Amino acid sequence: MTDVLRVALAGLGTVGAGVIKLLDANRELIERRAGRPIEVVAVSARDRSRDRGVDLSRFAWEDDPADLAAREDVDCVAELIGGADGSALALARDTLAAGKSFVTANKAMIAHHGLELAEAAEKAKVALKYEAAVAGGIPVIKGLREGAAANEITSVYGILNGTCNYILTEMEAKGSDFADVLAEAQRLGYAEADPTFDIDGIDAAHKLAILASLSFGTALDFDTVATSGIRRVIAEDILEARALGFKVRLVGTAEAAGGKLFQRVHACLVPRDHPLAHVAGSLNAIVAQGNFVGRLFFEGAGAGEGPTASAVVADLIDIARGEYGPAFAMPHARLTQAEAIEAGDRRGRAYLRFTVHDRPGVLAEITAAMRDANVSIESMIQRGGAEPSEDSDDVVSLIIVTHEGPERCVIDALERLKGAQSLAGEPMLMHILDL
Amino acid sequence: MTDVLRVALAGLGTVGAGVIKLLDANRELIERRAGRPIEVVAVSARDRSRDRGVDLSRFAWEDDPADLAAREDVDCVAELIGGADGSALALARDTLAAGKSFVTANKAMIAHHGLELAEAAEKAKVALKYEAAVAGGIPVIKGLREGAAANEITSVYGILNGTCNYILTEMEAKGSDFADVLAEAQRLGYAEADPTFDIDGIDAAHKLAILASLSFGTALDFDTVATSGIRRVIAEDILEARALGFKVRLVGTAEAAGGKLFQRVHACLVPRDHPLAHVAGSLNAIVAQGNFVGRLFFEGAGAGEGPTASAVVADLIDIARGEYGPAFAMPHARLTQAEAIEAGDRRGRAYLRFTVHDRPGVLAEITAAMRDANVSIESMIQRGGAEPSEDSDDVVSLIIVTHEGPERCVIDALERLKGAQSLAGEPMLMHILDL
């Protein structure tokens, strides 16, 4: 290894180009902080000719990213290709097997294969770093791995997807419906052409599983993250939530209790005085609750060229400084296997929206189901339509907020109401964040 | 060095006792994360017999903290005595000279002697760590030193004193005046018997100077921090600020521009939609603005047994892991000497409260001074008393918010009004946070 940290970049999309721009712009400062220069020496991407606003002629080019790992002039590979498997994973394995440090912004790959890669990095005594994989520029991986390392973390939760948060805050600001805001976000480039990963909560679930492992010392467990998104949130939900003192946010929540683990990504109601309620637009934010430090809150840009590049280069600086250890804060063999907590076993409050026929007896049918399922109602709002009558085709919304109780009771109540004559559509359930 | 990291604790006040409690409570977890056990082996404090809620009989006792550094069974000293000089500084020097790592929660000592100590640590190739010195449990030292290391930081600012923030938010909630809330805070133990360091901004200035050095790569420069506190904030200021869309907060602000440095601690008006406006009670919060990452925001408990102990032990874990480098993010010799920016050279908006005699001509006199000093007025509020008359003894408040302009113009306007017949008291000036 020479004095220079020689980096290969795989993937030259927004983030890859951003890393090159950052290393150019802050070169002297980074060299002072890292203790030695950090230089890109080789790159690989699908299309060599595309204009990325950076001069690539200085770098060696590899058509196949897999060839970067073996280059003798490379100390360390930064992977910015994406995708849980495929060439990204192959490159990660090859790099670590070659005894070189590996940096990635790839949340899907870390969520699915992080444990295997952590083991490979330990064996090779090199770094596996992924600050950019969670919440873009916010140094939350470092904050949990190191800053809060003295604490037993009991919960970690936050706003982990900027696209969803942008859509929800736009819906809030304009009273628009989901589909309209999504279309506008796609037009502006804030949402992908295929937005599934974002709006169905999968992207947030990847990040949550990583945060949970790091926070609780449990092995990565993406498969048990109960994941839903924001497709079913309507303008009325946001309006009613506001009237009740809440904002609607897509929140990833992970909790550890008695050696067990609960992980969920869901649209939920956040009390107006909770720090997450103030997180607007495409920002991300994470809360960690530690047994000595109390509540820590981190906020910043969760995506984009500059913030993500900032996180990738922070990892490179750590590597240049030699300041790194096990990827998940402890050797992979010391991570525990945690059983998943059933949602039904949790306690909480819930927001329910029923789309009901505007007929007599509707309230009685729904409240009876609540009673039979032992759900206690904290508040109920029905905004009147016209006078109800037996043959009315009108539908109105009925909003119920429950008292705190076992989630299984709410699930049971909804089960009892399946096929009920009163209902004109699928009920909407959002949990209330009372952390 | 054995496998165990053997720690000596100097000072067994709230924080020292907290460190022992934390290491006891989270022992197994810390050992997994640190890669080896962290154990206190020796302690020193003024009074051996005081009950601190922890069993000290397990530890060697030294009457003189200075003797901890030389103990052969000690790898690392954590200093929790406090004070810029005296026994804390002597212990720091001795520990580093003995080739042992040093951890401290002592903001005054780091602000005044951090550069000397950083040099000593580099020479001895050991760690000098001080996460607990700034913002208690919030890992902001790590966040700036490492998390944001890829960025040129252009400004770092925040709420750095929990006592002041508690007082200001209580004044806001209850409409009380400063003196009443301070007395209540002292009764509750939230403010010291001698609150000078807190309420006059000195404590915040120590922390700000540390943040500035770390953020900008400039040598510590506590002496040029323009420091004022919150003694002169009255209930009316908070009320009027609210009417104008602001909260009053004691904010430490550091900015770097053109190789120069601006540092100030001052009560200021924070726009309601700025993250600092939501920081309530004794919480601390820090914002850093980086050229790639954008705005990062960190919030948490800035003081207290648990949070401060969390930061001290995070430093010990870094040391146990061997993950540390230069104290101020780069070798001390690479920190630059930055000239101070004069406040007059800054641009900004200002809030001014004049206590004026309720007589004709008062507005004319004050607005003429503003005009002559080239201060442009954005808004003005005078809440009426009775009908003004030539011989009225009534005093009323006149509130002026200026447009953005050079601060020297506001200073000039106040200069022109010195001794003005209209004024019944010293004008109150608060800057507006437009970052």
Side-chain angles (χ1 to χ4, degrees), chain B residues 378-391:
Chain B
E378 181 181 301
S379 56
M380 180 157 69
I381 305 172
Q382 185 186 340
R383 312 255 179 227
E387 188 78 7
S389 70
E390 286 294 346
D391 56 353

Side-chain angles (χ1 to χ4, degrees), chain B residues 11-320:
Chain B
L12 291 172
T14 312
V15 179
V19 168
I20 295 173
K21 288 178 200 169
L22 195 164
L23 288 171
D24 282 347
N26 295 349
R27 172 170 305 281
E28 188 263 339
L29 188 66
I30 288 170
E31 193 262 319
R32 281 162 70 202
R33 291 206 181 118
R36 52 187 178 131
I38 296 177
E39 274 174 27
V40 175
V41 294
V43 297
S44 174
R46 245 178 306 199
D47 178 0
R48 190 168 185 171
S49 62
R50 214 183 99 209
D51 180 14
R52 297 169 171 92
V54 289
D55 168 23
L56 298 179
S57 66
R58 317 167 262 175
F59 312 129
W61 178 274
E62 298 284 358
D63 286 319
D64 184 350
D67 293 333
L68 293 173
R71 288 185 66 98
E72 291 208 351
D73 61 353
V74 163
D75 302 315
C76 163
V77 173
E79 179 271 312
L80 309 164
I81 302 169
D85 304 283
S87 60
L89 183 60
L91 179 61
R93 287 173 174 154
D94 289 352
T95 303
L96 297 170
K100 298 176 181 184
S101 286
F102 186 77
V103 173
T104 181
N106 189 331
K107 56 218 79 165
M109 181 176 75
I110 294 294
H112 286 282
H113 306 290
L115 203 57
E116 174 206 322
L117 298 177
E119 185 177 357
E122 278 166 45
K123 198 175 289 176
K125 295 192 170 55
V126 295
L128 166 66
K129 294 192 66 78
Y130 52 89
E131 183 65 81
V134 180
I138 310 173
V140 65
I141 297 299
K142 185 170 282 288
L144 292 170
R145 184 188 180 280
E146 301 158 32
N151 291 266
E152 183 186 337
I153 308 280
T154 49
S155 63
V156 61
Y157 57 99
I159 293 172
L160 301 172
N161 185 273
T163 304
C164 285
N165 208 58
Y166 171 82
I167 291 173
L168 291 171
T169 54
E170 281 293 293
M171 287 174 70
E172 185 181 305
K174 298 182 176 158
S176 314
D177 266 317
F178 173 77
D180 299 335
V181 178
L182 173 60
E184 175 74 2
Q186 286 172 316
R187 204 182 58 78
L188 293 169
Y190 296 162
E192 308 275 346
D194 176 1
T196 307
F197 260 52
D198 290 316
I199 66 179
D200 289 339
I202 302 157
D203 172 79
H206 286 143
K207 297 169 183 166
L208 183 69
I210 296 170
L211 292 178
S213 171
L214 202 52
S215 299
F216 307 139
T218 49
L220 275 161
D221 184 11
F222 174 71
D223 293 337
T224 66
V225 184
T227 305
S228 60
I230 62 168
R231 280 185 205 268
R232 296 193 56 238
V233 178
I234 62 174
E236 189 184 359
D237 290 321
I238 292 177
L239 213 67
E240 296 293 1
R242 181 159 61 190
L244 293 160
F246 299 98
K247 305 257 190 173
V248 177
R249 295 284 184 268
L250 183 72
V251 178
T253 308
E255 296 167 352
K260 293 188 175 183
L261 175 65
F262 179 73
Q263 303 175 99
R264 173 159 68 191
V265 172
H266 60 142
C268 80
L269 267 59
V270 178
R272 204 160 27 207
D273 61 356
H274 190 285
L276 289 184
H278 305 299
V279 179
S282 63
L283 289 179
N284 279 201
I286 293 97
V287 179
Q289 184 77 36
N291 67 338
F292 277 75
V293 76
R295 185 160 87 181
L296 287 176
F297 178 71
F298 305 85
E299 185 193 72
E305 178 180 294
T308 312
S310 166
V312 170
V313 177
D315 281 348
L316 294 174
I317 293 174
D318 270 359
I319 292 171

Side-chain angles (χ1 to χ4, degrees), chain B residues 410-422:
Chain B
V410 174
I411 298 164
D412 179 25
L414 294 177
E415 203 57 48
R416 285 166 189 271
L417 284 167
K418 265 201 180 136
Q421 293 205 331
S422 305

Side-chain angles (χ1 to χ4, degrees), chain A residues 18 21-22 25-26 28-33 137-139 142-143 145-153 214-217 275 278 291-293 295-301 306-307 310 313-314 317-318 321-325 329-331 334-336, chain B residues 18 21-22 25-26 28-33 137-139 142-143 145-153 214-217 275 278 291-293 295-301 306-307 310 313-314 317-318 321-325 329-331 334-336:
Chain A
K21 288 179 200 168
L22 194 163
N26 295 349
E28 188 263 339
L29 188 66
I30 289 170
E31 194 263 319
R32 281 162 70 202
R33 291 206 180 118
I138 310 173
K142 184 170 283 288
R145 183 188 180 280
E146 302 158 32
N151 290 265
E152 183 185 338
I153 308 281
L214 202 52
S215 298
F216 307 139
H278 304 299
N291 66 339
F292 276 75
V293 76
R295 185 160 88 182
L296 286 176
F297 178 71
F298 304 85
E299 186 193 72
S310 166
V313 178
I317 293 174
D318 270 359
R321 285 169 165 166
E323 297 180 13
Y324 60 84
M330 58 184 72
R334 302 210 64 176
L335 297 166
T336 57
Chain B
K21 288 178 200 169
L22 195 164
N26 295 349
E28 188 263 339
L29 188 66
I30 288 170
E31 193 262 319
R32 281 162 70 202
R33 291 206 181 118
I138 310 173
K142 185 170 282 288
R145 184 188 180 280
E146 301 158 32
N151 291 266
E152 183 186 337
I153 308 280
L214 202 52
S215 299
F216 307 139
H278 305 299
N291 67 338
F292 277 75
V293 76
R295 185 160 87 181
L296 287 176
F297 178 71
F298 305 85
E299 185 193 72
S310 166
V313 177
I317 293 174
D318 270 359
R321 284 169 165 167
E323 297 181 12
Y324 60 84
M330 58 185 71
R334 303 211 64 177
L335 297 167
T336 57

Side-chain angles (χ1 to χ4, degrees), chain A residues 63-208:
Chain A
D63 286 319
D64 185 350
D67 293 334
L68 292 173
R71 287 184 66 97
E72 290 209 351
D73 61 353
V74 164
D75 303 315
C76 164
V77 173
E79 179 272 313
L80 309 163
I81 301 168
D85 304 282
S87 60
L89 182 60
L91 179 59
R93 287 173 174 155
D94 289 353
T95 303
L96 296 170
K100 298 175 181 183
S101 287
F102 186 77
V103 173
T104 181
N106 189 331
K107 57 218 79 166
M109 181 176 74
I110 294 293
H112 286 282
H113 305 290
L115 203 58
E116 173 206 321
L117 298 177
E119 184 177 357
E122 279 166 45
K123 199 175 291 178
K125 295 192 170 54
V126 295
L128 166 66
K129 295 192 66 77
Y130 52 89
E131 183 66 80
V134 180
I138 310 173
V140 65
I141 298 298
K142 184 170 283 288
L144 292 170
R145 183 188 180 280
E146 302 158 32
N151 290 265
E152 183 185 338
I153 308 281
T154 49
S155 64
V156 60
Y157 58 99
I159 293 171
L160 300 172
N161 184 274
T163 304
C164 286
N165 209 58
Y166 172 82
I167 291 174
L168 290 171
T169 53
E170 281 293 292
M171 287 173 69
E172 186 182 304
K174 298 182 177 158
S176 314
D177 266 317
F178 173 77
D180 298 335
V181 178
L182 173 59
E184 175 73 3
Q186 287 173 315
R187 205 183 57 77
L188 293 169
Y190 296 162
E192 308 274 345
D194 176 0
T196 307
F197 260 52
D198 290 316
I199 66 179
D200 288 339
I202 302 157
D203 173 79
H206 286 143
K207 297 169 185 166
L208 183 69

